[in-house]
Amino acid sequence: MRMRLMLLGGGNALGQALIRLGAEEDIGFLAPRPPEGGWDVASLTQLLDDTRPDALINLAYYFDWFQAETVDEARFSQQERALERLAELCQHHNIVLLQPSSYRVFDGSRATAYSEKDEPVPLGIRGQALRRIEQNVRATCPRHVLLRFGWLLDDSADGLLGRFLRRAELEQQLLMADDRRGNPTLVDDAARVIIAVLKQLDCQFPLWGTYHYGGHEATTPLALGQAIISEARPLHKLQVLEVSPQAHAARVDAADEPQHAVLACKKILNTFGIKPRAWRAGLPALLDRYYRHS
């Protein structure tokens, strides 16, 4: 890799997966520790003025955007301001910016898969913040790649998967929507996609723009939950007896979570040659790592 790579957020689950995979392929990252209060306008300005990498992967706020159960609007506003400055700095120093985003920029009102050409209409605060971030990156830093991921699952204790497994240890019945659809995307697979994109950008191909990626085989939360329980039961004592269906409209997050969140992934295949991997195949390794760390 000729480009000098900087990774913001190397301590979170996706950052760790990226560092692990990079090490296997002899790709290193400059991964600075965040200041005490997290990355803000001043600290980002100082960092990039001092280091000036060739490409920056921004996972600084990964947990809040992709894994947190609750949304802090004031926290998002602060992060948006920091990201506005980050995009300005990347443009000023001619740094490539790789920025993750999410299926949450869509409202889920259509049953067919969303492509990169579809107009984002986000539902909740998180989706609206992600859309504004996307708009700012496009307007400010032309040399960017925006990667919209499907339902991201990682091995963090307080993430989506961790919260589900803790409930499975305490409750005999879990209710999951059977009329929602999306692409489960395991954290190691997301890291693989980021590495593949970086390799081609390293070859000086100007492949800027927005891309979708989600794990192979769109499914429902109900089927996903049942698959997780099936794989987790041999690894850990669970109380849950069954995962039962519940309508999307009856879920407490129905106003914020898109009912239809399947992403079409043809553009990333045609541009980068990245093929979706089956999320089911990666579940055993993800669950093994989760229980070893928890």
Side-chain angles (χ1 to χ4, degrees):
M1 182 77 66
R2 290 169 295 181
M3 291 193 302
R4 293 175 60 244
L5 304 176
M6 174 172 285
L7 171 61
L8 297 184
N12 61 52
L14 182 51
Q16 287 292 295
L18 199 54
I19 290 170
R20 282 196 307 272
L21 184 58
E24 292 174 7
E25 304 200 25
D26 201 27
I27 296 173
F29 297 91
L30 175 62
R33 286 182 176 275
E36 188 69 28
W39 294 109
D40 57 15
V41 170
S43 57
L44 287 171
T45 301
Q46 186 67 55
L47 176 70
L48 292 194
D49 283 349
D50 290 345
T51 56
R52 305 193 183 188
D54 299 308
L56 186 147
I57 304 94
N58 180 33
L59 305 181
Y61 315 117
Y62 162 81
F63 186 86
D64 287 341
W65 295 342
F66 297 102
Q67 299 296 324
E69 185 172 18
T70 58
V71 172
D72 185 330
E73 194 166 3
R75 187 177 175 89
F76 274 158
S77 296
Q78 181 183 9
Q79 293 171 354
E80 281 187 66
R81 288 194 296 273
L83 218 155
E84 287 175 11
R85 180 57 177 157
L86 182 66
E88 291 172 356
L89 290 163
C90 286
Q91 172 63 6
H92 178 72
H93 294 303
N94 202 31
I95 299 167
V96 174
L97 176 59
L98 194 152
Q99 175 65 48
S101 189
S102 167
Y103 68 92
R104 289 178 180 274
V105 299
F106 300 112
D107 64 4
S109 61
R110 53 178 283 183
T112 53
Y114 285 95
S115 80
E116 293 84 353
K117 295 180 181 179
D118 290 314
E119 184 67 25
V121 184
L123 291 176
I125 292 171
R126 188 163 9 203
Q128 292 163 8
L130 285 165
R131 185 192 183 192
R132 288 192 298 270
I133 286 167
E134 288 189 2
Q135 291 172 327
N136 181 263
V137 168
R138 290 193 193 97
T140 307
C141 182
R143 298 176 76 235
H144 70 265
V145 172
L146 284 162
L147 278 176
R148 290 179 183 149
F149 288 112
W151 298 338
L152 273 167
L153 299 175
D154 67 30
D155 54 327
S156 58
D158 297 323
L160 292 169
L161 178 65
R163 294 195 299 272
F164 176 77
L165 290 171
R166 281 203 306 278
R167 288 180 56 209
E169 294 174 12
L170 301 173
E171 302 173 30
Q172 292 193 339
Q173 183 186 44
L174 299 178
L175 299 176
M176 303 293 287
D178 64 343
D179 56 350
R180 285 181 186 172
R181 289 184 66 78
N183 307 92
T185 308
L186 307 193
V187 68
D188 287 345
D189 197 21
R192 173 187 70 93
V193 172
I194 293 173
I195 290 285
V197 169
L198 290 171
K199 284 180 177 178
Q200 297 211 35
L201 296 180
D202 192 49
C203 297
Q204 306 301 312
F205 296 135
L207 304 173
W208 321 123
T210 302
Y211 298 89
H212 288 177
Y213 183 80
H216 177 63
E217 188 195 347
T219 190
T220 65
L222 176 67
L224 174 61
Q226 290 169 339
I228 291 170
I229 293 302
S230 177
E231 293 289 349
R233 204 178 293 282
L235 301 175
H236 195 80
K237 181 176 175 57
L238 302 177
Q239 291 294 329
V240 66
L241 299 177
E242 61 178 346
V243 184
S244 302
Q246 186 180 40
H248 164 79
R251 300 290 297 172
V252 295
D253 60 353
D256 298 316
E257 185 69 23
Q259 181 174 5
H260 302 289
V262 177
L263 299 178
C265 303
K266 289 183 179 179
K267 183 181 176 183
I268 201 167
L269 172 62
N270 294 337
T271 306
F272 292 101
I274 296 172
K275 297 180 180 179
R277 284 189 179 171
W279 57 267
R280 290 180 187 271
L283 267 185
L286 178 63
L287 289 166
D288 178 70
R289 194 165 65 240
Y290 170 82
Y291 282 120
R292 281 191 286 111
H293 292 168
S294 63

